[in-house]
Amino acid sequence: MTKTPDYDGPILEIDKLSISFFTRLREIPAVMDFSVRVQPGEAVGLVGESGCGKSTVALGVMQDLGKNGKIVGGSIKFKGRDLGEMSDDELRDIRGNEIAMIYQEPMASLNPAMKIGKQLMEVPMIHEGVDQKEAYARALEVVTDVKLPDPKRMLDSFPHQLSGGQQQRIVIAMALMSKPSLLILDEPTTALDVTVEAAVVELVKDLGKKYGTSMLFISHNLGLVLETCDRLCVMYSGEAVERGSIADVFDNMQHPYTQALFRSIPLPGADKNARPLVAIPGNFPLPHERPPGCNFGPRCDYFEEGRCDVGDIPMEDIEGFERHSTRCLKYKEIDWNAPITVGEQKEKAEVGKVVLKMDNLKKYYEVAASALFSSGEKKVVKANETLSFEARESETLAIVGESGCGKSTFAKVLMGLETATDGQILLDNKNIEQTPIQARDTKTVADVQMVFQNPFDTLNPSMTVGRQIMRALEIFGIGDSEAARRKRMLELLDLVKLPRAFADRMPRQLSGGQKQRVGIARAFAGGARIVVADEPVSALDVSVQAAVTDLLMEIQREEKTTLLFISHDLSIVRYLSDRVMVMYLGHVVEMGSTDQVFAPPYHPYTEALLSAVPIADTSIEKEHIVLEGDIPSAMNPPPGCPFQTRCRWKSEVPGGLCEKELPPVRHLAEGHQVKCHLADDILERMNPVIKVAAE
């Protein structure tokens, strides 16, 4: 199979594309009048909320729309040739060879029963007919390119033996095996930790340059697009609403939806009391219920009846800007620099007495050393090591760290789903660390509640929303009759800003953000005093995130709740937490007020975490720190400091102390502690990781 000879026009040219899916009832238009171009060596970002048609465009390019999907208008040209007019054989040659795609979930692209090396070697053997020896040499080269440790061992491993970040790198290696001209990345880092995400993004950029690959990068994370792409296209409800270079769209936006998106992201400087985020009002329209005229009209601040809701609205080029266009009739009349009408300023709730105190909490698990045979030697997994902190009434304490650091284990012990190995947890001065949930009294259960990461898993699909909340009230012994409980349930729906009519809906009729609100209503049903929010917004779109975090804050102010907010998204943590606790491999490595933790001196791990967070602001300069290697296993932690295997400051500590001794907890200032061997003068020399660039 030979590659298409050199072609100097756009690699990908999508022109007025419309894609529909056909059901027995109706035609559902998923993408309409969509145009975008990707030039050779260029990375174009496709941004929008879930359901806006980003992935449908990618599947259209791959000509993989299934039985029900059909291109009903427009064309997709790859290197000047129309993909829609190619035979199956021609398409088969192009897919995987000239156009490669990387999906969100790495395991969807890997065969669990086949070694990594064999899966990689298949690509050039099938597409280019090379022999085994050359295919192996190539596989070894790309695995080295994607910076995986011990490449030969990697090729000899099965997918399940690798971490999520390693699996995603293998998928990237596989996509690059045949040096494609176009790489489509569909949310390739959503399931990864921020530090791994930063490394993968860095990798994709470097490899794009090395191989001269053009990229279509699909994401809902504007910060990530800023760091990886040259140009971007913003989509809303099946249409492109704004296209332009990164600088054009970020600094000179010309569409109300783009503006609304930016207002709902916690950029540095947002403050939950003084400068709260502004959520986009209303909901995303369903594909068969789109409004007339502008799709964004019903949610737009600048909507004008009789003008914005009439006829089709075309994409229009903006005068004076090359390749910057918008789908808005009023873009010339809007004052884009007008100061944002600040959401109402909130009074900061007074932080009250200590409600929860954790003292030297340890949680160890015993597991069989061999996965196949449970007898024989046991190994101990130290999930939590001497955790100590206290949380007060009306306070938000954020718990931050990569997956596997022990955040969720500590939440399980607090909830009573697990019991502690050692140490104590005091709730109102009463020990609860050894009381499993079934032995806790109703009040303790009602007092400590949890909002989970995935709202889909926590609701009963066969029970109405109202019934589920009333059941929680029944369990907590609230209300002396069905009528009293129904009244309280409707009040709880008001509390989480859901229409009362939702009481009779089934979970499947709700969007992700609405389901998460039901989860919050249920958590607060018993008047919870402590709510553990485990990544409560990471599965939601940015505009919905703003509304849900705002809701949590508002309920906290009214109910004086203590909120333990578990997250790896530091921009949200910075926005809403009062204090932050950073965890690594079961240890608390840094703790302090939000201002203390986000300004130097840092623990070296906190520093790396801050550097890894993508920020959607062109005026921000970040110190560039990419962590090498993966988190060590809690079954086999490194000696000395748990972070020493990945620490860039280790050489500053004399005598190999980091590798021999666990660092002591040191107090740098009132309420600010770190677990680190670095000398005071070195800590004082640390520079801020995030700074606003001079104008």
Side-chain angles (χ1 to χ4, degrees):
M1 155 73 207
T2 54
K3 300 232 172 182
T4 315
D6 284 343
Y7 171 77
D8 57 0
I11 293 288
L12 180 69
E13 197 172 4
I14 300 179
D15 190 39
K16 295 191 166 35
L17 176 71
S18 296
I19 296 176
S20 290
F21 289 92
F22 293 86
T23 66
R24 278 178 304 189
L25 294 176
R26 59 169 79 88
E27 173 186 347
I28 296 173
V31 174
M32 297 148 315
D33 183 32
F34 178 83
S35 304
V36 78
R37 283 178 173 196
V38 183
Q39 300 294 347
E42 183 177 54
V44 175
L46 203 50
V47 175
E49 299 169 90
S50 44
C52 73
K54 307 185 296 287
S55 297
T56 306
V57 169
L59 292 172
V61 174
M62 297 301 277
Q63 298 286 309
D64 182 21
L65 291 164
K67 284 199 189 85
N68 301 346
K70 199 167 175 231
I71 294 178
V72 290
S75 64
I76 304 175
K77 288 183 177 165
F78 174 69
K79 294 188 177 179
R81 298 172 63 203
D82 192 329
L83 290 170
E85 291 171 3
M86 289 187 189
S87 68
D88 285 351
D89 284 348
E90 287 176 302
L91 281 172
R92 202 171 295 122
D93 276 344
I94 281 182
R95 277 191 211 124
N97 183 30
E98 293 208 52
I99 305 179
M101 185 155 172
I102 296 170
Y103 295 89
Q104 183 169 350
E105 181 44 66
M107 274 313 281
S109 315
L110 295 172
N111 180 340
M114 199 186 213
K115 286 187 174 171
I116 298 288
K118 201 164 174 211
Q119 298 192 46
L120 288 171
M121 286 159 65
E122 269 190 350
V123 180
M125 285 166 78
I126 290 171
H127 282 295
E128 296 166 50
V130 305
D131 63 14
Q132 221 162 349
K133 194 176 168 196
E134 191 187 329
Y136 183 80
R138 257 219 242 161
L140 203 57
E141 183 196 353
V142 290
V143 171
T144 313
D145 272 350
V146 295
K147 296 192 172 61
L148 279 167
D150 197 351
K152 285 192 167 150
R153 187 177 63 82
M154 285 290 160
L155 293 181
D156 205 33
S157 306
F158 285 99
H160 69 266
Q161 294 171 306
L162 311 185
S163 68
Q166 290 172 335
Q167 287 171 359
Q168 193 60 290
R169 283 168 193 232
I170 290 291
V171 172
I172 293 172
M174 198 183 281
L176 292 166
M177 275 304 279
S178 55
K179 303 190 172 48
S181 307
L182 176 68
L183 188 55
I184 301 174
L185 300 108
D186 190 358
E187 301 267 17
T189 58
T190 311
L192 306 177
D193 276 315
V194 298
T195 48
V196 181
E197 173 180 87
V200 168
V201 163
E202 182 77 3
L203 178 74
V204 168
K205 279 198 312 206
D206 290 349
L207 295 173
K209 288 193 188 86
K210 177 177 173 178
Y211 292 110
T213 311
S214 304
M215 289 192 271
L216 187 62
F217 195 99
I218 296 173
S219 180
H220 63 260
N221 184 332
L222 285 159
L224 212 52
V225 167
L226 167 69
E227 291 187 5
T228 43
C229 299
D230 308 302
R231 298 170 46 73
L232 84 154
C233 172
V234 181
M235 281 187 85
Y236 180 78
S237 189
E239 294 179 326
V241 292
E242 184 164 9
R243 274 195 308 264
S245 71
I246 293 284
D248 285 347
V249 178
F250 277 59
D251 300 337
N252 188 22
M253 54 192 74
Q254 298 285 310
H255 194 282
Y257 174 60
T258 315
Q259 187 184 48
L261 262 188
F262 274 92
R263 287 177 176 177
S264 60
I265 310 173
L267 295 172
D271 177 303
K272 64 180 175 184
N273 299 311
R275 284 195 47 210
L277 300 179
V278 182
I280 305 176
N283 282 320
F284 206 70
L286 290 168
H288 55 282
E289 293 174 358
R290 291 192 177 107
C294 173
N295 283 344
F296 188 58
R299 305 173 74 187
C300 179
D301 292 344
Y302 310 104
F303 178 74
E304 191 181 317
E305 212 172 319
R307 183 176 167 199
C308 297
D309 51 4
V310 181
D312 285 342
I313 294 166
M315 277 300 257
E316 211 174 308
D317 290 333
I318 294 158
E319 287 164 31
F321 287 92
E322 195 199 354
R323 297 171 71 196
H324 187 185
S325 44
T326 178
R327 195 183 291 271
C328 176
L329 295 174
K330 301 183 69 175
Y331 77 94
K332 288 180 183 161
E333 303 155 38
I334 294 169
D335 178 1
W336 296 103
N337 297 319
I340 174 171
T341 45
V342 175
E344 57 180 293
Q345 296 203 358
K346 308 287 194 330
E347 279 299 303
K348 184 169 175 6
E350 277 303 304
V351 172
K353 60 183 195 310
V354 173
V355 182
L356 178 74
K357 188 169 168 26
M358 221 169 251
D359 200 18
N360 285 335
L361 178 82
K362 292 184 182 179
K363 175 63 187 170
Y364 294 173
Y365 293 98
E366 259 200 10
V367 292
S370 155
L372 290 177
F373 309 105
S374 52
S375 60
E377 71 171 306
K378 298 269 189 197
K379 275 200 167 179
V380 171
V381 176
K382 299 181 175 182
N384 286 153
E385 270 289 13
T386 57
L387 273 183
S388 299
F389 69 87
E390 41 192 46
R392 299 165 189 277
E393 191 175 84
S394 294
E395 179 179 54
T396 304
L397 172 68
I399 295 136
V400 176
E402 296 169 278
S403 43
C405 74
K407 306 187 296 280
S408 298
T409 301
F410 128 77
K412 284 179 187 163
V413 178
L414 176 60
M415 298 294 299
L417 301 171
E418 302 271 3
T419 53
T421 308
D422 196 12
Q424 50 181 357
I425 302 177
L426 297 166
L427 175 66
D428 296 328
N429 278 331
K430 194 172 84 188
N431 285 65
I432 57 168
E433 70 283 345
Q434 292 302 334
T435 319
I437 191 152
Q438 58 273 26
R440 291 186 177 183
D441 58 55
T442 308
K443 182 172 181 333
T444 308
V445 173
D447 274 350
V448 185
Q449 282 293 303
M450 193 154 180
V451 177
F452 295 89
Q453 177 170 359
N454 195 340
F456 310 95
D457 298 343
T458 53
L459 297 178
N460 182 335
S462 57
M463 211 186 252
T464 64
V465 164
R467 191 77 234 130
Q468 302 199 39
I469 298 174
M470 284 166 72
R471 196 152 175 270
L473 291 168
E474 218 169 289
I475 291 167
F476 297 145
I478 289 170
D480 45 12
S481 66
E482 188 77 356
R485 280 193 284 273
R486 184 165 178 84
K487 181 169 174 285
R488 176 71 186 134
M489 177 268 294
L490 293 172
E491 286 166 3
L492 283 163
L493 286 179
D494 296 343
L495 180 72
V496 295
K497 298 190 167 48
L498 280 177
R500 289 187 164 199
F502 275 40
D504 302 321
R505 288 199 181 179
M506 301 303 273
R508 64 168 188 278
Q509 297 169 293
L510 272 54
S511 71
Q514 290 166 341
K515 284 182 186 153
Q516 195 56 295
R517 284 166 188 247
V518 175
I520 293 170
R522 209 170 47 175
F524 281 95
R529 314 245 329 273
I530 296 172
V531 169
V532 180
D534 189 356
E535 302 267 15
V537 292
S538 63
L540 307 176
D541 276 316
V542 276
S543 58
V544 184
Q545 269 184 15
V548 172
T549 44
D550 208 40
L551 174 71
L552 276 171
M553 298 289 91
E554 201 171 306
I555 297 176
Q556 180 184 38
R557 271 188 284 269
E558 283 175 23
E559 311 269 330
K560 294 191 166 34
T561 321
T562 304
L563 200 57
L564 299 181
F565 192 87
I566 297 177
S567 180
H568 66 258
D569 180 347
L570 284 171
S571 28
I572 276 195
V573 164
R574 181 180 203 154
Y575 170 66
L576 59 77
S577 63
D578 302 308
R579 285 194 307 133
V580 181
M581 176 163 107
V582 182
M583 287 183 71
Y584 185 81
L585 214 59
H587 292 263
V588 176
V589 293
E590 182 166 6
M591 182 155 60
S593 71
T594 307
D595 291 342
Q596 287 169 335
V597 172
F598 277 78
Y602 314 104
H603 185 281
Y605 176 57
T606 312
E607 182 190 47
L609 273 184
L610 287 172
S611 160
V613 177
I615 298 174
D617 187 339
T618 51
S619 67
I620 292 285
E621 279 181 5
K622 283 196 313 187
E623 175 147 4
H624 196 67
I625 305 161
V626 172
L627 282 184
E628 297 296 325
D630 286 312
I631 300 186
S633 156
M635 205 188 281
N636 194 7
C641 170
F643 187 58
Q644 53 101 347
T645 54
R646 301 166 82 194
C647 180
R648 69 183 194 135
W649 292 87
K650 190 164 80 169
S651 57
E652 301 277 352
V653 178
L657 193 60
C658 297
E659 292 165 15
K660 294 178 198 154
E661 281 181 34
L662 184 68
V665 173
R666 288 161 57 195
H667 295 273
L668 303 180
E670 179 62 38
H672 187 195
Q673 63 178 60
V674 297
K675 212 178 226 182
C676 185
H677 284 304
L678 283 176
D680 289 351
D681 59 322
I682 295 171
L683 286 170
E684 277 162 23
R685 287 206 316 262
M686 283 189 166
N687 295 318
V689 172
I690 297 168
K691 42 188 182 289
V692 178
E695 284 301 317

